[in-house]
Amino acid sequence: MSDSEDFDPLTPRGAKSADTHERRMPRGVVIRLIAYLVAGHVVAAFLFLLFSVAGKG
């Protein structure tokens, strides 16, 4: 018999490594991403307000 009968493609077959902690983004990158998103929305809101006031005049 071959091993293909017992093969399960959903079972991980890689070697167990010492790196078992969950991989995630560093805290500084997450904080910077949130800060850039907030700053980008503030700039977009300012430009929207600027053009809406200028369009009424």
Side-chain angles (χ1 to χ4, degrees):
M1 285 194 208
S2 66
D3 291 335
S4 63
E5 294 175 359
D6 298 326
F7 178 70
D8 184 11
L10 300 178
T11 303
R13 297 185 64 178
K16 301 272 184 186
S17 66
D19 186 17
T20 58
H21 72 279
E22 182 179 336
R23 293 177 189 245
R24 56 182 179 161
M25 294 171 55
R27 180 179 224 115
V29 174
V30 173
I31 293 172
R32 190 179 307 154
L33 177 65
I34 292 171
Y36 286 160
L37 285 172
V38 169
H41 281 83
V42 168
V43 169
F46 174 72
L47 288 175
F48 178 77
L49 180 66
L50 185 71
F51 280 102
S52 64
V53 168
K56 291 181 181 179

